[in-house]
Amino acid sequence: MVSTFHGLELGKRGLSVGQASLSTTGQNIANVNTKGYSRQQVNSSASPSLDVWTNQGANTGQLGTGVNIDSITRVRDRFLDQQVRDHSETLGQWQAKQTTLDRLETIVNEPSTSGLNSAMDALKNAWQDLANEPDSLAAQAIVKERAQGFVDVAQSMNKSMENLKGELTLQTQETVAEANGYLKQIAELNKSIVRDGNQSNDLKDKRDALVEDLSKLMSIKVDEKPSGSYSISLSSNKQALVTGEEVSKIDVDSVNANPKRYGGKLAGLSESMESAIYYQDKLISVVKNFAQANTMSKTGSTDQALFIGDADNFNISELKVNYAASPLKQPAATGKPSEDAQSYFRELVSELGAESQSAINSVANHEATLQATENRRQSVTGVSLDEEMANLIKYQHSYNAAARLVSMTDQMLDTIINRMAN
């Protein structure tokens, strides 16, 4: 038999759902500009019906009892989340590489009037002037001065490249530490989410924000368990990084041993190091060949060579100008070896420029792809004020109607209890 107060209970449930819906809408509006926030929604369903007698024989009727709140969940799309993580990983890799190539272009500083090519031209012209006046002490001094200019530029470039390699090593160490920090925080949030229940929406948002930051550093695969915890592994070889509350930290040695396995910024930094070493080796080759073409000896004490340097174990930082040489020893094959060295340097500049431009284009393309994917995801998970305002009006009317039902039931009970007795 249906309770006399059935209408009050039914109205109360309607009020409860309306209030939860209004509060959730308010939460969405309040966090419209919060980074990483996911739109939330109230999931409700009709509460179990009551059997009531009807005129349909043995078949009883079903009387509704209102509504129940099943859950308040985030609106997410796992497919788009993984796409965003994949694009972030690729973008992080290219950004690291593009930054290093940009630094290398700044170090090479070509074309310019103060670069290595200009220094080589200046020395070549000084040799020609000396050839016209072989006995001129002034012409010999100018040759040595131009040679010193060449050495200064070459040593400055070489030192900058050494500094760049040191910075890349430091960046790799910091990035590994940053990744381990993210892994630890994700594991701690896993523990909190499992403890607080699978509907810890705000904690899940914080965890997803950390996962996305981690995806910029390395390529990861995320698997959500029924308990709500995340298991995170490397995409390349499924190496476990986070399993529930357990963390498997990464270290610099394993990253340096196989950087491509990690992807993301870590792989980009490794490729950057390879580029820095590659172009520094080319610079050393250019400087060595040019110095040899303009006469170089190990001691410079007997052969009057312009440069002092060890051709068998060449080191740019140890290259010196032989100021004691007088008269200077003329290059054996005037022009050709120097031009070959200059030509090799121009090839270095062209190759670096092409590679840098390619990296710039790749970064731009992946940024556009990531932004497009992010826009698609925001259309699902983001807060639309227009939609929330429409929901606000809808839930307000729903709440008012439920309140009206309670008021009307109260009047009916008043009639039955107080007035029918008189």
Side-chain angles (χ1 to χ4, degrees), residues 261-292:
R261 187 175 63 185
Y262 289 87
K265 184 179 179 180
L266 287 172
L269 288 173
S270 176
E271 292 172 358
S272 296
M273 180 65 83
E274 292 175 1
S275 295
I277 293 172
Y278 174 76
Y279 286 107
Q280 187 181 28
D281 288 344
K282 282 205 161 192
L283 174 67
I284 293 171
S285 179
V286 167
V287 174
K288 175 184 174 183
N289 291 338
F290 188 79
Q292 285 183 308

Side-chain angles (χ1 to χ4, degrees), residues 121-419:
D121 281 338
L123 179 57
K124 184 172 65 178
N125 294 333
W127 275 120
Q128 290 175 351
D129 293 340
L130 180 60
N132 294 331
E133 299 179 83
D135 298 329
S136 172
L137 295 178
Q140 291 190 33
I142 291 175
V143 168
K144 294 174 183 175
E145 180 186 342
R146 298 292 185 266
Q148 186 61 54
F150 167 77
V151 170
D152 290 344
V153 173
Q155 290 181 341
S156 175
M157 291 173 62
N158 185 59
K159 184 178 180 182
S160 297
M161 289 186 178
E162 280 295 330
N163 291 339
L164 176 60
K165 290 194 300 184
E167 291 173 15
L168 289 171
T169 301
L170 187 60
Q171 280 189 50
T172 300
Q173 295 171 352
E174 291 176 346
T175 304
V176 167
E178 184 181 1
N180 284 328
Y182 289 144
L183 294 173
K184 182 181 178 183
Q185 292 180 67
I186 292 169
E188 290 173 349
L189 284 171
N190 272 346
K191 181 180 179 181
S192 299
I193 289 169
V194 171
R195 182 190 60 207
D196 295 348
N198 199 14
Q199 296 182 23
S200 307
N201 296 326
D202 295 335
L203 293 178
K204 287 185 173 181
D205 280 346
K206 289 181 180 178
R207 184 180 60 182
D208 282 336
L210 291 170
V211 170
E212 287 191 15
D213 287 338
L214 179 65
S215 70
K216 297 173 186 175
L217 309 184
M218 60 175 69
S219 178
I220 56 174
K221 182 177 181 300
V222 179
D223 182 25
E224 185 172 9
K225 302 298 181 184
S227 62
S229 69
Y230 274 174
S231 288
I232 297 178
S233 58
L234 283 178
S235 298
S236 58
N237 63 352
K238 314 304 179 192
Q239 175 187 334
L241 300 172
V242 173
T243 305
E245 303 173 22
E246 302 296 325
V247 179
S248 299
K249 291 186 177 182
I250 61 174
D251 58 71
V252 176
D253 291 338
S254 63
V255 171
N256 289 334
N258 195 350
K260 290 183 179 179
R261 187 175 63 185
Y262 289 87
K265 184 179 179 180
L266 287 172
L269 288 173
S270 176
E271 292 172 358
S272 296
M273 180 65 83
E274 292 175 1
S275 295
I277 293 172
Y278 174 76
Y279 286 107
Q280 187 181 28
D281 288 344
K282 282 205 161 192
L283 174 67
I284 293 171
S285 179
V286 167
V287 174
K288 175 184 174 183
N289 291 338
F290 188 79
Q292 285 183 308
N294 288 274
T295 66
M296 180 178 75
S297 69
K298 193 170 184 178
T299 60
S301 59
T302 57
D303 52 8
Q304 309 301 321
L306 177 59
F307 293 105
I308 300 174
D310 186 357
D312 297 328
N313 189 23
F314 187 74
N315 189 331
I316 290 181
S317 62
E318 296 176 355
L319 183 65
K320 298 177 182 176
V321 175
N322 185 13
Y323 283 100
S326 182
L328 284 169
K329 179 182 178 183
Q330 291 282 342
T334 305
K336 188 64 172 60
S338 294
E339 291 176 0
D340 288 345
Q342 281 190 275
S343 177
Y344 190 62
F345 180 67
R346 286 192 287 270
E347 288 177 9
L348 180 157
V349 174
S350 300
E351 184 179 358
L352 176 59
E355 192 175 3
S356 178
Q357 188 58 50
S358 175
I360 291 172
N361 293 338
S362 294
V363 168
N365 291 337
H366 288 296
E367 280 180 340
T369 305
L370 176 60
Q371 188 60 53
T373 308
E374 178 62 28
N375 290 341
R376 287 173 56 201
R377 187 173 68 164
Q378 281 300 312
S379 69
V380 177
T381 67
V383 176
S384 165
L385 287 178
D386 293 340
E387 183 179 351
E388 298 302 328
M389 291 304 293
N391 286 338
L392 205 59
I393 295 172
K394 182 174 68 176
Y395 297 139
Q396 182 185 18
H397 283 300
S398 173
Y399 187 86
N400 289 342
R404 180 60 181 164
L405 174 63
V406 171
S407 175
M408 188 180 68
T409 304
D410 179 57
Q411 292 175 8
M412 292 170 59
L413 292 172
D414 179 64
T415 300
I416 293 171
I417 296 171
N418 298 323
R419 299 183 185 179

Side-chain angles (χ1 to χ4, degrees), residues 65-107:
T65 60
V67 63
N68 286 331
I69 298 175
D70 295 331
S71 60
I72 300 175
T73 56
R74 305 181 305 156
V75 180
R76 301 287 297 193
D77 186 319
R78 294 179 184 176
F79 177 71
L80 289 174
D81 284 344
Q82 186 59 48
Q83 279 193 330
V84 168
R85 287 193 286 265
D86 291 343
H87 293 315
S88 295
E89 177 261 330
T90 308
L91 179 60
Q93 183 174 353
W94 275 107
Q95 282 178 329
K97 192 171 180 180
Q98 189 264 325
T99 301
T100 300
L101 291 172
D102 187 54
R103 285 282 307 278
L104 284 169
E105 279 197 308
T106 302
I107 292 171

